[in-house]
Amino acid sequence: MANVARETARGESGLDIQHGTKHFRAGALLWIPPVRWDPGHGRWHAVGRHRGNGRRYVNMVVRADDLEHFRVKGVYSEALVRSLNGYDHDPAAPRTLQNPWTRERAQDWADARNHFREPVFIEGHPYAHPRISVYNPPPAEIQIDGETLHLAHYGTKGAHYSRMPPPVEWTPEP
């Protein structure tokens, strides 16, 4: 399970900061079931209580960047089990999860998501570099394929690097 991030980035270059997402409030608990189908790069299937109706569980596809504080927690609600199972739900066993992970596997998965590394965006490319991430805070310069990239912008969506060096500050001579 995870929480919806307090601040989520939207809009061009992630400059529009919002509280929560369209469907879930900031801090809402979302359960992430084992993958049944791939919703796309950087998106996961999740189950949680909707912003508009806090009583019912809904299944949604959410951006992975909008989630934080991953952990393992037991599921005891029959309604939550039904939502996590989806079409595979067996009414004869209403409190049984279909295809559950072991606690160790789930804990390893959650620990990997909590590792504080930021995605790297390179000027001219709309998506994050698939193989490279940097620690938080990001370094001012990185080397990729023999090319030096300079930190241009650091925001909620990650570190943005440019091939252009930062401008040199002019100081008057005494």
Side-chain angles (χ1 to χ4, degrees), residues 19 29-30 32 36 55-56 63-64 71 88 94-95 110 112 136 138 150 152 156 158 162 167 171:
H19 300 286
L29 297 176
L30 296 184
I32 302 164
R36 289 190 293 250
R55 296 179 338 147
R56 297 184 62 184
R63 292 179 351 153
R71 60 202 179 276
D88 296 334
R95 291 182 177 256
N136 182 356
H150 307 276
T156 58
S162 171
T171 56

Side-chain angles (χ1 to χ4, degrees), residues 16-17 30 34 40 59 68 89 111 116 121 124 128 142 144-145 151 155 165:
D16 181 21
I17 305 298
L30 296 184
N59 292 301
E68 64 186 6
H89 184 67
D111 290 343
F116 295 113
F121 293 86
I142 60 172
I144 297 178
D145 298 330
L151 182 64

Side-chain angles (χ1 to χ4, degrees), residues 22-103:
K22 179 179 178 181
H23 297 286
F24 298 108
R25 297 176 197 263
L29 297 176
L30 296 184
W31 282 263
I32 302 164
V35 177
R36 289 190 293 250
W37 49 272
D38 184 13
H41 178 71
R43 298 182 183 277
W44 293 333
H45 179 230
V47 175
R49 295 186 188 270
H50 196 273
R51 184 185 279 261
N53 182 357
R55 296 179 338 147
R56 297 184 62 184
Y57 288 104
V58 294
N59 292 301
M60 294 279 175
V61 174
V62 296
R63 292 179 351 153
D65 295 342
D66 293 342
L67 302 178
E68 64 186 6
H69 190 58
F70 294 88
R71 60 202 179 276
V72 177
K73 189 173 179 183
V75 177
Y76 303 102
S77 165
E78 200 171 305
L80 180 57
V81 170
R82 187 171 41 252
S83 293
L84 288 170
N85 285 339
Y87 293 113
D88 296 334
H89 184 67
D90 181 11
R95 291 182 177 256
T96 304
L97 278 173
Q98 304 298 322
N99 304 319
W101 283 358
T102 64
R103 182 168 184 83

